Amino acid sequence: MEINGLPLHVLVVHAAVVLTPIAALAAIGYAVVPRWRDWLRWPVVVAVVVAVGTVWVAFLSGDDFRGDARFATASGEFADKLDKHEDLGGILRWVASGFGLVTLAAVALHTRTGVTRILLSVAVAALGLATVVLTIMTGDAGAQAVWGS
């Protein structure tokens, strides 16, 4: 799929690379700073839904883009870099999805305290951090494939 001659993947990855870490950091703040929870609850819901959506659109459009004829002859180091980027994108979509589901559960159980709150907060923080790291690694792998030497 293209928009004005540009592959959708090339356009949407920028949203995923910017919005996903912002959503994850906001969710981590929601999880670990109790006084911020009421204030961050709804912005976190919106940010997480949009961020996970952009990750999935980036993955699906990347899969479509990789099947394009311009990559049919990709070989050697370039093909290896594309494969690494594709593999990381596949992992990212599931980690980001898990992060999104756990974050939405934490918000849905907003008033819970005790063990439930602690477990949800730890899960949101851990998956949020993993999502940030994987987003950076995936974006870097894609940039290295396109712009690396």
Side-chain angles (χ1 to χ4, degrees):
M1 174 179 248
E2 293 184 354
I3 296 177
N4 201 28
L6 288 172
L8 178 62
H9 183 70
V10 174
L11 299 171
V12 78
V13 295
H14 294 90
V17 166
V18 171
L19 298 177
T20 304
I22 290 171
L25 294 173
I28 291 168
Y30 171 86
V32 301
V33 184
R35 68 179 177 268
W36 292 359
R37 284 194 188 123
D38 286 333
W39 183 74
L40 279 176
R41 179 173 39 173
W42 295 114
V44 163
V45 167
V46 171
V48 165
V49 168
V50 170
V52 172
T54 62
V55 166
W56 272 92
V57 172
F59 176 81
L60 294 172
S61 65
D63 192 45
D64 183 56
F65 189 36
R66 181 74 154 98
D68 192 271
R70 68 188 98 190
F71 295 112
T73 60
S75 62
E77 185 180 357
F78 178 60
D80 293 342
K81 287 180 178 183
L82 285 176
D83 290 341
K84 179 181 178 183
H85 175 60
E86 188 175 10
D87 292 343
L88 287 169
I91 296 167
L92 174 60
R93 71 180 163 151
W94 295 116
V95 171
S97 296
F99 159 70
L101 290 173
V102 167
T103 301
L104 294 176
V107 170
L109 300 171
H110 180 72
T111 58
R112 295 286 175 101
T113 59
V115 175
T116 303
R117 172 55 49 201
I118 292 168
L119 291 175
L120 285 170
S121 294
V122 168
V124 168
L127 287 168
L129 182 60
T131 299
V132 169
V133 170
L134 276 166
T135 300
I136 292 167
M137 290 173 62
T138 305
D140 182 64
Q144 291 298 325
V146 174
W147 301 106
S149 55

